[in-house]
Amino acid sequence: MKKWIGAAAIVIILLLIADRFIFNENNKEMKPIEKYEKLENASELPMGLNEGKRAPDFVLVDLNGKTVKLSDYIGKPVLLNFWATWCPPCKDEMPHMEKLYKKYKKDGFEILAVNVTTSEKDPKHVGQFVDEYKLTFPIPLDEKGAVFHDYAIIGYPTSFFIDSDGVIRRKVMGPVKEDELEKEILKLL
């Protein structure tokens, strides 16, 4: 059993390393991705949850009663984040997200932090959390867990970095450090 766990850990590490690089056919070398290239005919790509697919659309209502529709954000890069108030890594990640939202909002960057309200003990905790962390980006509420289900979320936090064409460029399960968040945002801008 320990051998399988060790082998699985090695595979995960290799996948994480490979995920940070793109293979360059001309030079036969690995190089870091500096910026995502603009895709032609992105609107014709199939929808899906994998990188390179168009993000599935959804409609939710945010804490202020405003309708939030993902497709309304076409033309802007978006960090789509799924979280819960009781999640320690979410608590760690939120201040970084707020800082970077304020820094890059003028460049068109948006954050949609979808609270999976079905996982909350009390929905009132969401507003208290937002006030405590002084969050200014939209907080759509997934009160029925439908978007959580549609995006096949298996843990919190989970983040999708979506380009201005609505294409998923990166999916990260688990917390993202501030410097990594910023690198991904800059690739989208």
Side-chain angles (χ1 to χ4, degrees), residues 20-59:
R20 302 262 191 250
F21 294 90
I22 186 168
F23 191 75
N24 181 329
E25 289 281 334
N26 299 330
N27 297 331
K28 302 289 186 206
E29 65 185 39
M30 300 289 278
K31 70 176 199 176
I33 299 172
E34 299 292 326
K35 189 153 178 73
Y36 293 116
E37 293 179 24
K38 184 83 172 149
L39 298 173
E40 292 189 28
N41 302 322
S43 62
E44 295 174 14
L45 290 172
M47 274 193 197
L49 300 177
N50 295 328
E51 295 169 5
K53 306 269 185 182
R54 285 185 305 123
D57 199 11
F58 61 82
V59 178

Side-chain angles (χ1 to χ4, degrees), residues 12-189:
I12 290 170
I13 290 169
L14 291 174
L15 288 172
L16 289 171
I17 292 169
D19 187 44
R20 302 262 191 250
F21 294 90
I22 186 168
F23 191 75
N24 181 329
E25 289 281 334
N26 299 330
N27 297 331
K28 302 289 186 206
E29 65 185 39
M30 300 289 278
K31 70 176 199 176
I33 299 172
E34 299 292 326
K35 189 153 178 73
Y36 293 116
E37 293 179 24
K38 184 83 172 149
L39 298 173
E40 292 189 28
N41 302 322
S43 62
E44 295 174 14
L45 290 172
M47 274 193 197
L49 300 177
N50 295 328
E51 295 169 5
K53 306 269 185 182
R54 285 185 305 123
D57 199 11
F58 61 82
V59 178
L60 294 172
V61 175
D62 71 10
L63 274 175
N64 300 317
K66 180 181 172 190
T67 298
V68 176
K69 185 175 181 182
L70 181 61
S71 58
D72 287 345
Y73 290 84
I74 295 292
K76 296 180 175 189
V78 174
L79 166 56
L80 175 61
N81 178 269
F82 291 85
W83 67 285
T85 61
W86 48 264
C87 160
C90 300
K91 292 176 182 180
D92 293 341
E93 196 175 58
M94 285 294 177
H96 307 307
M97 289 170 50
E98 178 63 25
K99 178 181 175 183
L100 294 170
Y101 178 67
K102 286 180 176 177
K103 184 174 181 179
Y104 293 107
K105 183 167 177 47
K106 67 184 178 318
D107 299 317
F109 172 67
E110 293 288 343
I111 293 178
L112 297 176
V114 176
N115 174 266
V116 186
T117 317
T118 54
S119 72
E120 300 289 345
K121 286 184 181 179
D122 186 341
K124 292 178 191 170
H125 293 161
V126 181
Q128 294 166 351
F129 184 98
V130 169
D131 290 344
E132 179 182 342
Y133 285 83
K134 297 177 177 54
L135 303 177
T136 60
F137 45 80
I139 308 289
L141 303 173
D142 189 5
E143 294 179 328
K144 296 181 181 174
V147 180
F148 170 85
H149 180 266
D150 291 347
Y151 272 76
I153 304 302
I154 59 173
Y156 304 118
T158 297
S159 298
F160 293 83
F161 294 88
I162 302 170
D163 71 15
S164 59
D165 291 320
V167 176
I168 297 170
R169 292 311 196 119
R170 180 110 191 268
K171 177 182 176 181
V172 180
M173 296 187 312
V176 184
K177 294 180 183 174
E178 183 177 349
D179 61 332
E180 285 296 313
L181 272 171
E182 189 161 26
K183 284 179 189 174
E184 288 302 318
I185 292 166
L186 290 171
K187 290 179 195 177
L188 294 172
L189 294 176

